[in-house]
Amino acid sequence: LRGGGTGVPAHGNVSFHMPQTKKKSTMYNSFFDPSLERKRAFPSPSEAVVAARILLYMRREDDVPFLKHVISRGMEEHPDSADLKILYITFLRFVFKSPIAAAEQERAVKARLNTLPIDFQYVFYVVERKATQASATESIGFGNVTSMHLMEWDAGIA
């Protein structure tokens, strides 16, 4: 060795070999991994539902794009989850304000509605009724209809 034991070979040819560093897998990397070759972001559909509900519970409008990503990723990973599908339809209809996309998803769920558990059938029914009610209130010109609004509208006052 030259230079008093510095690790450089005596013949002068210096070869630097960089050690292979393995990219550390973080939750962020695994969540946004588009190839899905790594672990899933949501090992079960219920975890996707919980994550979406927690984001919704925070009530921050800045979180809506991320909420859309969370629910879409959950649907991508667990397309057969009835709970996730109904939540997705609900979000499309009432949070993301996308009734056309919601109607497409509703048609897909209606095709196999009888195969769903009764509680999911009821939730689906409630979502449909609420959507019908919301579209009816928009057609008479009120954003939030009360019984008083309906009486005034019926009497021709409003």
Side-chain angles (χ1 to χ4, degrees):
L1 292 175
R2 248 186 318 160
T6 61
V8 178
H11 52 79
N13 292 338
V14 179
S15 169
F16 290 104
H17 178 68
M18 295 298 291
Q20 292 275 341
T21 57
K22 189 174 182 181
K23 188 175 181 181
K24 186 176 179 183
S25 178
T26 64
M27 286 183 71
Y28 180 84
N29 291 341
S30 64
F31 188 87
F32 290 103
D33 182 16
S35 66
L36 290 179
E37 292 174 3
R38 295 186 192 178
K39 294 186 295 183
R40 293 178 168 209
F42 304 109
S44 70
S46 61
E47 289 183 15
V49 169
V50 168
R53 287 181 182 245
I54 287 172
L55 279 171
L56 186 66
Y57 181 71
M58 290 181 183
R59 298 175 191 241
R60 291 186 6 212
E61 288 199 33
D62 298 347
D63 289 340
V64 171
F66 184 63
L67 177 62
K68 191 178 279 190
H69 176 76
V70 166
I71 199 80
S72 298
R73 180 75 183 256
M75 287 295 296
E76 183 180 313
E77 292 180 359
H78 305 284
D80 296 329
S81 170
D83 193 17
L84 202 52
K85 268 188 183 163
I86 291 174
L87 185 67
Y88 184 55
I89 290 169
T90 306
F91 281 11
L92 282 173
R93 178 81 59 191
F94 302 111
V95 178
F96 306 141
K97 307 284 189 210
S98 180
I100 295 171
E104 291 174 10
Q105 293 294 324
E106 286 170 2
R107 279 193 293 275
V109 169
K110 276 184 187 178
R112 33 173 254 155
L113 188 61
N114 291 334
T115 63
L116 297 177
I118 191 76
D119 55 339
F120 290 132
Q121 290 180 26
Y122 179 72
V123 170
F124 186 73
Y125 165 76
V126 169
V127 168
E128 275 189 313
R129 292 283 296 166
K130 187 71 175 167
T132 304
Q133 190 177 37
S135 66
T137 62
E138 288 172 5
S139 68
I140 63 171
F142 297 114
N144 189 9
V145 174
T146 64
S147 58
M148 185 61 86
H149 288 135
L150 288 176
M151 288 184 348
E152 289 173 351
W153 185 74
D154 191 38
I157 300 171

